[in-house]
Amino acid sequence: MSEKHLCIGLSLSPTWLNGWGWRKKDSSAERIFSADFYIELTKKAEESKLDFVFKPDALFLHPERVNISPAMGGLDPTLLMTMLAEHTSQIGLVTTVSTTFNPPYVIARQLQTLHRLSEGRAGWNIVTSIEGGDNFGHKNMPSSEERYNRAKESVDVIRRLWRSYPAEALLVDRDEGIFADKDKIHPIDYQGDFYDVRGPLNLPAHLAGELPLFQAGASDAGREFASGVASGIFAATPTIESAISYRQDLRNRAKSKGRKADDIVVLPGLSLFLGNTTAEAKALYRDAFAHLSLEQQLAMVRRILGLDLSGFAKDDKVTAAHIPHNDRQVYSKTHAELLKDYIIKNEPTVQQLLSRPEVISSAHWIIIGTVEEAAQQIEYWLDKGAMDGFIALPGGSIRSLQLFFDKLLPLLVEKGLFREEYESNTFITNLTKKKN
């Protein structure tokens, strides 16, 4: 048995509505834009002692998909987390904000506001965005390199702003008539390649300390960025081999930057299709993607790799020679690299390739089975050094979500892999204790 304790977060995106899941009467599809739905879900997560809830985000909408699925996006994550802060007291609240489309001063102020209103429980998932430029006056999305360079500078500016008005500067000394020590508050006078920011921030920092940063670096540039700034790294690792390699690489990169390897926790997304029996779980997974047509699957492969398989038979082999070698900007480097690696190592048939998670759902780790089978796989990945925890993405049906809370988490506690009580009321402290 592993002596490590898992760090577990829950995605607040309704992944149990995959495919035709939203059509089920008990799916809660009608409630995904309502406050009470997220309040109930987050309270349940806190009762289960999860480290945090997390809201991914997309700053665009594909109208052609709205008629058949909840599509992307949804409620603004930071506003949502601010509301949830009022209804919880211990669980971490990780919002998502793009550095590509938002200025550092606004990000710094909004995140510090969430941190203060939640009494030290905020976290920031830093994204550089892969789409949405035309909603912000960009005819073309900046290159991946530019987006990561901008993100690195943005984080630097934001951290300087947080430190420009430190918590100890706020005195509220009524006897002496001093509200704040002005000598401890200072401009940052920042001038860089992308930003020119004077400061200081108009809001004091929280005594809990700076809020933890999260990132999902997959490309080389992304890994370099994430390993230098993040406390938690979200990973897309569908196999244990890719997970072990990814985690070790991130830990090595962190050490090369003067950090400790344990300064970061690597958290794969985990799609859980749970059932009372293995057969039930397999049926959930099959039904979740039954709505996808062959044309949609072929279109996704073209989008990811630029590979047109429309003239292939379903039993034809796909090899490395078929992968286009050009410098076109891809939809997602994460999906592209994973799919390329799968083709090179396995030479799958077209049918096998089209059924890959990267094509039909996401590039996440998937467990399809009973609660007991899921717990065994989670413990195995932990023991093998494939992860430090995971982001739960219960899929298939609302029943998967219920089994995650009511059965799987208690079983992980019973196995000694997860906490029974919170160590602290601040997210930073709970996360730090997990890493030590």
Side-chain angles (χ1 to χ4, degrees), residues 332-351:
S332 167
K333 284 192 174 181
T334 302
H335 287 66
E337 291 304 318
L338 287 169
L339 215 54
K340 284 179 184 178
D341 188 60
Y342 175 73
I343 291 171
I344 292 168
K345 289 181 179 178
N346 298 281
E347 296 195 350
T349 65
V350 169
Q351 188 170 28

PDB file of all heavy atoms in Angstrom, residues 332-351:
ATOM      1  N   SER A 332      -4.813  21.219 -30.878  1.00  0.00           N
ATOM      2  CA  SER A 332      -4.291  20.981 -29.531  1.00  0.00           C
ATOM      3  C   SER A 332      -3.016  20.159 -29.635  1.00  0.00           C
ATOM      4  O   SER A 332      -3.039  19.040 -30.142  1.00  0.00           O
ATOM      5  CB  SER A 332      -5.323  20.245 -28.679  1.00  0.00           C
ATOM      6  OG  SER A 332      -4.730  19.745 -27.497  1.00  0.00           O
ATOM      7  N   LYS A 333      -1.901  20.708 -29.169  1.00  0.00           N
ATOM      8  CA  LYS A 333      -0.642  19.965 -29.217  1.00  0.00           C
ATOM      9  C   LYS A 333      -0.716  18.721 -28.338  1.00  0.00           C
ATOM     10  O   LYS A 333      -0.097  17.703 -28.650  1.00  0.00           O
ATOM     11  CB  LYS A 333       0.510  20.871 -28.776  1.00  0.00           C
ATOM     12  CG  LYS A 333       0.928  21.867 -29.836  1.00  0.00           C
ATOM     13  CD  LYS A 333       2.237  22.536 -29.486  1.00  0.00           C
ATOM     14  CE  LYS A 333       2.709  23.426 -30.625  1.00  0.00           C
ATOM     15  NZ  LYS A 333       4.016  24.072 -30.322  1.00  0.00           N
ATOM     16  N   THR A 334      -1.468  18.806 -27.251  1.00  0.00           N
ATOM     17  CA  THR A 334      -1.616  17.650 -26.367  1.00  0.00           C
ATOM     18  C   THR A 334      -2.218  16.481 -27.121  1.00  0.00           C
ATOM     19  O   THR A 334      -1.674  15.371 -27.137  1.00  0.00           O
ATOM     20  CB  THR A 334      -2.510  17.996 -25.167  1.00  0.00           C
ATOM     21  OG1 THR A 334      -1.943  19.093 -24.463  1.00  0.00           O
ATOM     22  CG2 THR A 334      -2.644  16.807 -24.225  1.00  0.00           C
ATOM     23  N   HIS A 335      -3.374  16.714 -27.747  1.00  0.00           N
ATOM     24  CA  HIS A 335      -4.044  15.659 -28.490  1.00  0.00           C
ATOM     25  C   HIS A 335      -3.189  15.180 -29.666  1.00  0.00           C
ATOM     26  O   HIS A 335      -3.105  13.980 -29.938  1.00  0.00           O
ATOM     27  CB  HIS A 335      -5.397  16.160 -29.004  1.00  0.00           C
ATOM     28  CG  HIS A 335      -6.433  16.301 -27.948  1.00  0.00           C
ATOM     29  ND1 HIS A 335      -6.333  17.220 -26.930  1.00  0.00           N
ATOM     30  CD2 HIS A 335      -7.594  15.631 -27.731  1.00  0.00           C
ATOM     31  CE1 HIS A 335      -7.390  17.116 -26.144  1.00  0.00           C
ATOM     32  NE2 HIS A 335      -8.159  16.150 -26.604  1.00  0.00           N
ATOM     33  N   ALA A 336      -2.554  16.122 -30.354  1.00  0.00           N
ATOM     34  CA  ALA A 336      -1.761  15.767 -31.530  1.00  0.00           C
ATOM     35  C   ALA A 336      -0.582  14.864 -31.161  1.00  0.00           C
ATOM     36  O   ALA A 336      -0.345  13.843 -31.814  1.00  0.00           O
ATOM     37  CB  ALA A 336      -1.256  17.037 -32.220  1.00  0.00           C
ATOM     38  N   GLU A 337       0.149  15.226 -30.108  1.00  0.00           N
ATOM     39  CA  GLU A 337       1.312  14.428 -29.720  1.00  0.00           C
ATOM     40  C   GLU A 337       0.903  13.049 -29.227  1.00  0.00           C
ATOM     41  O   GLU A 337       1.560  12.042 -29.524  1.00  0.00           O
ATOM     42  CB  GLU A 337       2.119  15.164 -28.651  1.00  0.00           C
ATOM     43  CG  GLU A 337       2.824  16.411 -29.159  1.00  0.00           C
ATOM     44  CD  GLU A 337       3.745  16.138 -30.333  1.00  0.00           C
ATOM     45  OE1 GLU A 337       4.465  15.118 -30.302  1.00  0.00           O
ATOM     46  OE2 GLU A 337       3.724  16.926 -31.297  1.00  0.00           O
ATOM     47  N   LEU A 338      -0.174  12.977 -28.466  1.00  0.00           N
ATOM     48  CA  LEU A 338      -0.640  11.683 -27.966  1.00  0.00           C
ATOM     49  C   LEU A 338      -1.085  10.775 -29.108  1.00  0.00           C
ATOM     50  O   LEU A 338      -0.797   9.580 -29.128  1.00  0.00           O
ATOM     51  CB  LEU A 338      -1.785  11.887 -26.968  1.00  0.00           C
ATOM     52  CG  LEU A 338      -1.392  12.445 -25.598  1.00  0.00           C
ATOM     53  CD1 LEU A 338      -2.631  12.857 -24.822  1.00  0.00           C
ATOM     54  CD2 LEU A 338      -0.591  11.423 -24.807  1.00  0.00           C
ATOM     55  N   LEU A 339      -1.799  11.362 -30.067  1.00  0.00           N
ATOM     56  CA  LEU A 339      -2.299  10.567 -31.182  1.00  0.00           C
ATOM     57  C   LEU A 339      -1.155  10.119 -32.092  1.00  0.00           C
ATOM     58  O   LEU A 339      -1.127   8.977 -32.566  1.00  0.00           O
ATOM     59  CB  LEU A 339      -3.338  11.375 -31.965  1.00  0.00           C
ATOM     60  CG  LEU A 339      -4.509  10.588 -32.565  1.00  0.00           C
ATOM     61  CD1 LEU A 339      -5.211   9.751 -31.509  1.00  0.00           C
ATOM     62  CD2 LEU A 339      -5.510  11.545 -33.221  1.00  0.00           C
ATOM     63  N   LYS A 340      -0.195  11.013 -32.317  1.00  0.00           N
ATOM     64  CA  LYS A 340       0.982  10.641 -33.115  1.00  0.00           C
ATOM     65  C   LYS A 340       1.729   9.494 -32.451  1.00  0.00           C
ATOM     66  O   LYS A 340       2.121   8.523 -33.107  1.00  0.00           O
ATOM     67  CB  LYS A 340       1.920  11.841 -33.263  1.00  0.00           C
ATOM     68  CG  LYS A 340       1.473  12.890 -34.253  1.00  0.00           C
ATOM     69  CD  LYS A 340       2.481  14.021 -34.285  1.00  0.00           C
ATOM     70  CE  LYS A 340       2.040  15.153 -35.204  1.00  0.00           C
ATOM     71  NZ  LYS A 340       3.009  16.276 -35.190  1.00  0.00           N
ATOM     72  N   ASP A 341       1.931   9.610 -31.155  1.00  0.00           N
ATOM     73  CA  ASP A 341       2.662   8.583 -30.411  1.00  0.00           C
ATOM     74  C   ASP A 341       1.940   7.243 -30.495  1.00  0.00           C
ATOM     75  O   ASP A 341       2.568   6.188 -30.651  1.00  0.00           O
ATOM     76  CB  ASP A 341       2.821   9.019 -28.952  1.00  0.00           C
ATOM     77  CG  ASP A 341       3.734   8.085 -28.165  1.00  0.00           C
ATOM     78  OD1 ASP A 341       4.903   7.946 -28.544  1.00  0.00           O
ATOM     79  OD2 ASP A 341       3.265   7.498 -27.165  1.00  0.00           O
ATOM     80  N   TYR A 342       0.610   7.278 -30.389  1.00  0.00           N
ATOM     81  CA  TYR A 342      -0.186   6.041 -30.463  1.00  0.00           C
ATOM     82  C   TYR A 342      -0.038   5.393 -31.843  1.00  0.00           C
ATOM     83  O   TYR A 342       0.131   4.174 -31.954  1.00  0.00           O
ATOM     84  CB  TYR A 342      -1.650   6.362 -30.174  1.00  0.00           C
ATOM     85  CG  TYR A 342      -2.566   5.174 -30.349  1.00  0.00           C
ATOM     86  CD1 TYR A 342      -2.575   4.131 -29.434  1.00  0.00           C
ATOM     87  CD2 TYR A 342      -3.430   5.103 -31.443  1.00  0.00           C
ATOM     88  CE1 TYR A 342      -3.406   3.030 -29.602  1.00  0.00           C
ATOM     89  CE2 TYR A 342      -4.267   4.006 -31.618  1.00  0.00           C
ATOM     90  CZ  TYR A 342      -4.256   2.975 -30.695  1.00  0.00           C
ATOM     91  OH  TYR A 342      -5.080   1.892 -30.873  1.00  0.00           O
ATOM     92  N   ILE A 343      -0.082   6.200 -32.889  1.00  0.00           N
ATOM     93  CA  ILE A 343       0.041   5.663 -34.256  1.00  0.00           C
ATOM     94  C   ILE A 343       1.426   5.053 -34.464  1.00  0.00           C
ATOM     95  O   ILE A 343       1.560   3.940 -34.991  1.00  0.00           O
ATOM     96  CB  ILE A 343      -0.226   6.773 -35.288  1.00  0.00           C
ATOM     97  CG1 ILE A 343      -1.693   7.188 -35.254  1.00  0.00           C
ATOM     98  CG2 ILE A 343       0.154   6.299 -36.696  1.00  0.00           C
ATOM     99  CD1 ILE A 343      -2.006   8.434 -36.079  1.00  0.00           C
ATOM    100  N   ILE A 344       2.472   5.763 -34.038  1.00  0.00           N
ATOM    101  CA  ILE A 344       3.839   5.299 -34.249  1.00  0.00           C
ATOM    102  C   ILE A 344       4.093   3.982 -33.524  1.00  0.00           C
ATOM    103  O   ILE A 344       4.707   3.057 -34.060  1.00  0.00           O
ATOM    104  CB  ILE A 344       4.840   6.375 -33.779  1.00  0.00           C
ATOM    105  CG1 ILE A 344       4.762   7.600 -34.706  1.00  0.00           C
ATOM    106  CG2 ILE A 344       6.259   5.826 -33.734  1.00  0.00           C
ATOM    107  CD1 ILE A 344       5.482   8.824 -34.187  1.00  0.00           C
ATOM    108  N   LYS A 345       3.592   3.851 -32.312  1.00  0.00           N
ATOM    109  CA  LYS A 345       3.871   2.668 -31.503  1.00  0.00           C
ATOM    110  C   LYS A 345       2.976   1.483 -31.842  1.00  0.00           C
ATOM    111  O   LYS A 345       3.375   0.326 -31.689  1.00  0.00           O
ATOM    112  CB  LYS A 345       3.705   3.000 -30.017  1.00  0.00           C
ATOM    113  CG  LYS A 345       4.786   3.908 -29.464  1.00  0.00           C
ATOM    114  CD  LYS A 345       4.575   4.185 -27.987  1.00  0.00           C
ATOM    115  CE  LYS A 345       5.682   5.069 -27.420  1.00  0.00           C
ATOM    116  NZ  LYS A 345       5.456   5.382 -25.982  1.00  0.00           N
ATOM    117  N   ASN A 346       1.748   1.749 -32.328  1.00  0.00           N
ATOM    118  CA  ASN A 346       0.777   0.661 -32.468  1.00  0.00           C
ATOM    119  C   ASN A 346       0.326   0.368 -33.900  1.00  0.00           C
ATOM    120  O   ASN A 346      -0.226  -0.711 -34.147  1.00  0.00           O
ATOM    121  CB  ASN A 346      -0.466   0.980 -31.618  1.00  0.00           C
ATOM    122  CG  ASN A 346      -0.152   1.082 -30.153  1.00  0.00           C
ATOM    123  OD1 ASN A 346      -0.015   0.080 -29.452  1.00  0.00           O
ATOM    124  ND2 ASN A 346      -0.044   2.314 -29.654  1.00  0.00           N
ATOM    125  N   GLU A 347       0.526   1.314 -34.818  1.00  0.00           N
ATOM    126  CA  GLU A 347       0.026   1.155 -36.186  1.00  0.00           C
ATOM    127  C   GLU A 347      -1.410   0.601 -36.174  1.00  0.00           C
ATOM    128  O   GLU A 347      -1.685  -0.492 -36.680  1.00  0.00           O
ATOM    129  CB  GLU A 347       0.953   0.253 -37.002  1.00  0.00           C
ATOM    130  CG  GLU A 347       2.340   0.847 -37.190  1.00  0.00           C
ATOM    131  CD  GLU A 347       3.151   0.155 -38.272  1.00  0.00           C
ATOM    132  OE1 GLU A 347       2.705  -0.916 -38.751  1.00  0.00           O
ATOM    133  OE2 GLU A 347       4.194   0.702 -38.659  1.00  0.00           O
ATOM    134  N   PRO A 348      -2.342   1.365 -35.620  1.00  0.00           N
ATOM    135  CA  PRO A 348      -3.716   0.875 -35.462  1.00  0.00           C
ATOM    136  C   PRO A 348      -4.473   0.841 -36.779  1.00  0.00           C
ATOM    137  O   PRO A 348      -4.060   1.455 -37.778  1.00  0.00           O
ATOM    138  CB  PRO A 348      -4.331   1.918 -34.538  1.00  0.00           C
ATOM    139  CG  PRO A 348      -3.609   3.187 -34.896  1.00  0.00           C
ATOM    140  CD  PRO A 348      -2.179   2.756 -35.157  1.00  0.00           C
ATOM    141  N   THR A 349      -5.579   0.140 -36.767  1.00  0.00           N
ATOM    142  CA  THR A 349      -6.502   0.227 -37.894  1.00  0.00           C
ATOM    143  C   THR A 349      -7.245   1.551 -37.780  1.00  0.00           C
ATOM    144  O   THR A 349      -7.235   2.206 -36.733  1.00  0.00           O
ATOM    145  CB  THR A 349      -7.518  -0.922 -37.880  1.00  0.00           C
ATOM    146  OG1 THR A 349      -8.346  -0.788 -36.696  1.00  0.00           O
ATOM    147  CG2 THR A 349      -6.829  -2.274 -37.875  1.00  0.00           C
ATOM    148  N   VAL A 350      -7.885   1.938 -38.861  1.00  0.00           N
ATOM    149  CA  VAL A 350      -8.683   3.171 -38.846  1.00  0.00           C
ATOM    150  C   VAL A 350      -9.749   3.088 -37.758  1.00  0.00           C
ATOM    151  O   VAL A 350      -9.986   4.052 -37.021  1.00  0.00           O
ATOM    152  CB  VAL A 350      -9.328   3.407 -40.230  1.00  0.00           C
ATOM    153  CG1 VAL A 350     -10.374   4.514 -40.151  1.00  0.00           C
ATOM    154  CG2 VAL A 350      -8.268   3.737 -41.263  1.00  0.00           C
ATOM    155  N   GLN A 351     -10.402   1.933 -37.655  1.00  0.00           N
ATOM    156  CA  GLN A 351     -11.442   1.763 -36.653  1.00  0.00           C
ATOM    157  C   GLN A 351     -10.882   1.936 -35.230  1.00  0.00           C
ATOM    158  O   GLN A 351     -11.507   2.577 -34.388  1.00  0.00           O
ATOM    159  CB  GLN A 351     -12.090   0.385 -36.794  1.00  0.00           C
ATOM    160  CG  GLN A 351     -13.324   0.190 -35.925  1.00  0.00           C
ATOM    161  CD  GLN A 351     -14.064  -1.095 -36.277  1.00  0.00           C
ATOM    162  OE1 GLN A 351     -13.474  -2.052 -36.749  1.00  0.00           O
ATOM    163  NE2 GLN A 351     -15.366  -1.107 -36.071  1.00  0.00           N
TER     164      GLN A 351
END
